[in-house]
């Protein structure tokens, strides 16, 4: 899961990582007081959304304009070729901070990462201005090849790090952490020197970096990215930005995470699915998919595409789904108005085809299903499952295998659309 | 011979909750020697005739277990893997889904000093058809034979096995390596096992988006593999940055895409199925290219 910048900074602050002083506000009327309280000559007014590229992004009037700006400028270039207000702005006085906050709050922010629909700004962070000497980069993440955590640092802060890695890989410094001993002083020193921290401030930087790694590890983060990490005029480091995402498997032991979930940032259907322990991801197509197992669910999306259709979602009902869960999954799929046909593809292992069939029949009756339903069943108790569907009275298009099912679903969606 | 598992394997079950019991029974009915279970505090009792021990060490001493299957819930699963390794179990199969990555970083470091093979976590298990089944897969779709199967996914593996069986092609061993970012055995390790196995003639590898494990296996196959290989990669239509069910199935920063994996596999001479419905036929084609008729065997 992802969290906002202001939440990430608070978490880091709690661990003892140096971050700028700031105040999160939800009403523009609070901005002037917040800026005065910070007391610096300049304050930064930052939109809080779960997407990067905010500074170069554009505050737009409505969704049509968002789509236009996204397509025209941002999608291809990732550059701010627009004359709209940006999502992060400098204010030279508390009054100006108030004026900017009024523009950002409630506005629709479109960036290269938000997609064409943009994201509504409901929170703004007012942050003290910092004496920036150098903009640097640091991130911490799992190296899947070695199964160890890794620190990536670069003097090319504020840039797109993937571009740096591609064009000037020598400017990226890597350190791999041995889990038995954690981040050692010498590794933090290596990173600090590589980042150009002045010699007399190295021990401060070592402390900063080790604290940052401790936060990454203890929070069960799947990625921590500070871009830019700032070297101040006095030679010390400060985390000017914070991007944190968390290992979903570890949320159970990070109770603070529950409160940090921002439901405005998540697809409501994905949230509902999570409540039923279903794995659902909304996509752009018109064929709803219900499958057991993540790999088969992906393969089902692929085979629909292969036969000329587009999947409306990824949905894994899991191995041990019961009839109730299947019914819930069905309802979530049908909430998407774009769905013109549903393709149920089940290979029963632990999940038995008769249980699945019962769930489908129950759900179809409850929601008064009016669009074509294609079902392909295989595996445990498949004959009983087929019998339940046949005798249910609901209209089912039976498929003999995956290809047959995908073709029939594509055809049905095409006819309906 | 097959790999990892055969009719002589003596299997321990760790985690005897509802899931553990259900599958212990299923594996026993398949004919697997399910000789012991561990449930701390219940040592000295039994479940349907299978003796229960307090620790893995006791189970190994009393029953000579050489394979362990783990259903322990996520908070205790990493510990269960390490306990099995420390007790000298040679093949550890962890079915548990949802183990935190940080726990697996520690497990991997722990296992570096121990001589054992970890399969999973978050996997369906391993089956050597006709000999032994350890895990949650439906046994009846399999058929004894000479094609090795290795996959990150559960039901997609069943799909591949089903296609092979329907074409009259049996399997030597099917290994579900699991869908997590850190797994004990990767595609490349499974390839090495199958390449060395005299009872395996060909291998089908099923991968998915995320990470670079398939690319690494492809590079190894190109240099070393003496047997025909077919493959399928799931997730061509998956959007970037979203976790597709499996914790490991996420495209990040342009790497881990289906396209890059397919390209690497094809460059290594592997026959890649375009559609998941063609996994069985891709295997037949790959074998034909090597002058091998799988259906005749």
């Amino acid at each position: 899961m992802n969290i906002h910048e202001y939440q990430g900074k608070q978490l880091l602050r709690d661990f003892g990582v140096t971050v700028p002083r700031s105040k999160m506000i939800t009403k523009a009327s609070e901005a002037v007081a917040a800026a005065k309280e910070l007391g610096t000559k300049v304050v930064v007014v930052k939109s809080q959304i779960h997407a990067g590229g905010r500074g170069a992004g554009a505050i737009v009037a409505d969704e049509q304009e968002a789509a236009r700006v996204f397509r025209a400028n941002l999608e291809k270039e990732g550059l701010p070729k627009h004359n709209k207000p940006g999502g992060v702005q400098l204010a030279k006085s508390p009054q100006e901070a108030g004026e900017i906050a009024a523009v950002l709050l409630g506005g629709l922010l479109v960036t290269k990462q938000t997609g064409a629909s943009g994201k509504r700004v409901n929170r703004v962070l007012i942050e003290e201005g910092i004496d920036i000497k150098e903009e640097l980069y640091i991130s911490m993440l799992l190296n899947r090849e070695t199964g160890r955590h890794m620190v990536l640092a670069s003097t090319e802060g504020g840039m797109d790090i993937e571009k740096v890695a591609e064009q000037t890989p020598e400017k990226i410094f890597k350190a791999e952490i041995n889990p038995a001993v954690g981040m050692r002083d010498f590794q933090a020193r290596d990173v600090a020197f590589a980042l150009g921290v002045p010699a007399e401030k190295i021990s401060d930087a070592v402390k900063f970096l080790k604290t940052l790694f401790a936060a990454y590890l203890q929070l069960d983060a799947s990625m921590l990215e500070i871009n830019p990490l700032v070297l101040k005029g006095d030679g010390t480091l400060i985390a000017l930005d914070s991007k944190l995402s968390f290992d979903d498997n570890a949320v159970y032991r990070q109770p603070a995470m529950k409160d940090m979930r921002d439901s405005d940032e998540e697809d409501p259907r994905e949230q509902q699915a999570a409540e039923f322990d279903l794995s659902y991801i909304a996509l752009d197509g018109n064929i709803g998919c219900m499958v057991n197992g993540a790999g088969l669910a992906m393969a089902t999306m692929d085979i629909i595409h292969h036969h000329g259709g587009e999947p409306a979602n990824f949905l894994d009902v899991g191995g041990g789904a019961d009839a109730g869960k299947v019914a819930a999954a069905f309802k979530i799929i049908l909430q998407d108005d774009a769905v013109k046909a549903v393709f149920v593809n089940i290979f029963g292992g632990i999940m038995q085809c008769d249980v699945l069939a019962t769930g489908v029949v129950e759900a179809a009756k409850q929601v008064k299903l009016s669009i074509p339903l294609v079902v392909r069943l295989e595996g445990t108790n498949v004959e009983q499952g087929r019998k339940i569907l046949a005798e249910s009275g609901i209209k089912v298009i039976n498929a003999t295998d995956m290809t047959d099912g995908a073709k029939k679903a594509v055809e049905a969606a095409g006819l309906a659309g | 011979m097959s790999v990892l598992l055969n009719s002589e394997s003596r299997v321990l079950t760790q985690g005897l909750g509802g899931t553990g019991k259900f599958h212990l029974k299923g594996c026993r009915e398949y004919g697997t020697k399910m000789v012991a279970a561990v449930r701390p505090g219940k040592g000295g009792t039994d479940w349907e005739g299978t003796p229960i021990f307090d620790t893995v060490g006791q189970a190994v001493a009393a029953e000579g277990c050489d394979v362990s299957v783990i259903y322990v819930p996520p908070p205790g699963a990493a510990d269960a893997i390490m306990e099995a390794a420390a007790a000298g179990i040679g093949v550890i199969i962890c079915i548990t889904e949802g183990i935190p990555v940080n726990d697996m970083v520690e497990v991997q470091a722990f296992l570096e000093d121990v001589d054992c093979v970890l399969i999973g976590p978050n996997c369906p298990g391993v089956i050597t058809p006709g000999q032994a089944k350890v895990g949650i897969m439906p046994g009846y779709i399999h058929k004894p034979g000479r094609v090795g199967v290795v996959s990150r996914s559960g039901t997609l593996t069943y799909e591949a096995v089903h296609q092979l069986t329907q074409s009259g092609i049996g399997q030597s061993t099917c290994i579900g390596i699991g869908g997590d970012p850190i797994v004990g055995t990767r595609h490349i390790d499974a390839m090495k096992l199958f390449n060395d196995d005299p009872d395996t003639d060909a291998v089908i590898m099923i991968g998915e988006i995320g990470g670079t494990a398939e690319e690494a296996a492809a590079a190894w196959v190109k240099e070393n593999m003496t047997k025909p290989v077919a493959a399928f990669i799931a997730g061509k239509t998956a959007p970037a940055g979203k976790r597709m069910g499996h914790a490991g199935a996420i495209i990040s920063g342009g790497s881990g895409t289906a396209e890059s994996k397919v390209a690497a596999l094809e460059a290594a001479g592997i026959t890649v199925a375009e559609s998941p419905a063609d996994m069985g036929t891709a295997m037949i084609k790959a074998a034909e290219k090597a002058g091998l008729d799988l259906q005749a065997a």
Side-chain angles (χ1 to χ4, degrees), chain A residues 144-146 149 217 220 247 249 252-253 270 279 281 292-293 295-296 299 301-303 305-306 376 379-380 403, chain B residues 75 98-103 108 112 140 153 155 159 186 212 234-237 242-245 248 274-277:
Chain A
R144 288 175 61 158
E145 272 70 55
T146 60
H149 295 297
L217 203 62
D220 277 310
D247 177 3
N249 287 353
Y252 76 88
R253 64 184 181 194
E270 290 178 18
S279 184
I281 291 163
N292 64 329
L296 190 61
M301 290 158 46
D302 294 345
I303 200 168
H305 182 76
H306 186 72
R376 180 272 177 139
T380 311
T403 303
Chain B
I99 303 178
V101 168
N102 279 340
D103 291 8
Q108 178 160 302
E112 276 172 16
Y140 72 91
S153 154
T155 45
E159 183 72 43
R186 299 162 180 231
T212 53
K236 263 180 214 154
T237 49
K242 288 273 193 180
R243 162 178 155 161
M244 306 304 282
E274 264 199 51
S275 152

Side-chain angles (χ1 to χ4, degrees), chain B residues 94-141:
Chain B
C94 184
I95 309 297
T96 309
E97 177 178 3
I99 303 178
V101 168
N102 279 340
D103 291 8
M104 283 310 299
V105 169
E106 292 180 352
V107 165
Q108 178 160 302
F110 185 89
L111 295 187
E112 276 172 16
D113 300 329
V114 186
D115 188 19
C116 71
V117 174
L118 170 67
I119 307 289
N122 189 14
C123 77
V126 179
I127 181 169
T128 294
Q131 296 193 44
K133 154 181 136 85
V134 178
I136 62 177
M137 67 290 281
Y140 72 91
I141 60 171

Side-chain angles (χ1 to χ4, degrees), chain A residues 107-311:
Chain A
L108 193 58
L109 177 56
V110 56
T111 82
K112 61 177 177 176
Q113 289 182 14
T114 57
S117 55
K119 282 198 167 172
R120 191 66 63 186
V121 180
N122 295 317
R123 296 175 183 80
V124 155
L125 191 65
I126 311 281
E127 191 166 85
E128 65 171 331
I130 296 293
D131 165 26
I132 299 176
K133 185 163 173 254
E134 297 286 349
E135 292 197 356
L136 312 168
Y137 172 93
I138 194 159
S139 65
M140 295 167 181
L141 71 167
L142 177 74
N143 180 351
R144 288 175 61 158
E145 272 70 55
T146 60
R148 291 184 171 196
H149 295 297
M150 183 167 70
V151 177
L152 293 182
S154 174
T155 50
E156 306 300 291
M159 308 254 302
D160 185 347
I161 199 66
E162 268 125 20
K163 267 189 199 145
V164 178
E166 201 179 298
Q167 293 162 2
T168 49
E170 71 282 1
K171 287 188 173 165
I172 293 185
F173 183 85
K174 292 181 190 173
E176 200 164 87
I177 310 300
N178 181 330
V181 294
M183 185 193 250
R184 305 300 305 179
D185 282 6
F186 81 87
Q187 293 180 299
R189 258 195 323 268
D190 283 351
V191 172
F193 278 116
L195 287 175
V197 173
E200 69 276 14
K201 293 290 182 187
I202 287 292
S203 61
D204 290 330
V206 166
K207 185 164 171 275
F208 177 95
L209 293 167
K210 286 180 76 174
T211 309
L212 197 63
F213 185 74
Y216 163 77
L217 203 62
Q218 287 172 40
L219 289 167
D220 277 310
S222 54
M223 189 175 86
L224 188 167
E225 186 178 49
I226 311 288
N227 189 19
L229 168 72
V230 160
L231 184 64
K232 292 203 294 183
D234 66 5
T236 60
L237 295 170
I238 185 166
L240 205 61
D241 191 17
S242 144
K243 195 175 169 196
L244 268 163
S245 59
F246 299 95
D247 177 3
D248 288 324
N249 287 353
V251 169
Y252 76 88
R253 64 184 181 194
Q254 298 287 349
M257 295 306 145
K258 282 206 180 82
D259 304 327
M260 293 202 173
R261 215 171 256 281
D262 181 356
S263 53
D264 292 340
E265 291 281 345
E266 294 174 12
D267 185 297
R269 281 164 286 154
E270 290 178 18
Q271 287 179 60
Q272 274 182 45
E275 280 168 31
F276 285 94
D277 200 22
L278 299 161
S279 184
Y280 172 94
I281 291 163
L283 302 167
D284 294 332
N286 64 1
I287 299 174
C289 304
M290 182 162 84
V291 190
N292 64 329
L296 190 61
M298 270 189 274
T300 303
M301 290 158 46
D302 294 345
I303 200 168
I304 287 170
H305 182 76
H306 186 72
H307 291 287
E310 288 301 332

Side-chain angles (χ1 to χ4, degrees), chain B residues 225-253:
Chain B
M225 194 86 181
T226 58
K227 302 172 183 182
V229 180
F232 173 72
I233 301 291
K236 263 180 214 154
T237 49
K242 288 273 193 180
R243 162 178 155 161
M244 306 304 282
H246 286 159
I250 183 164
I251 298 171
S252 43

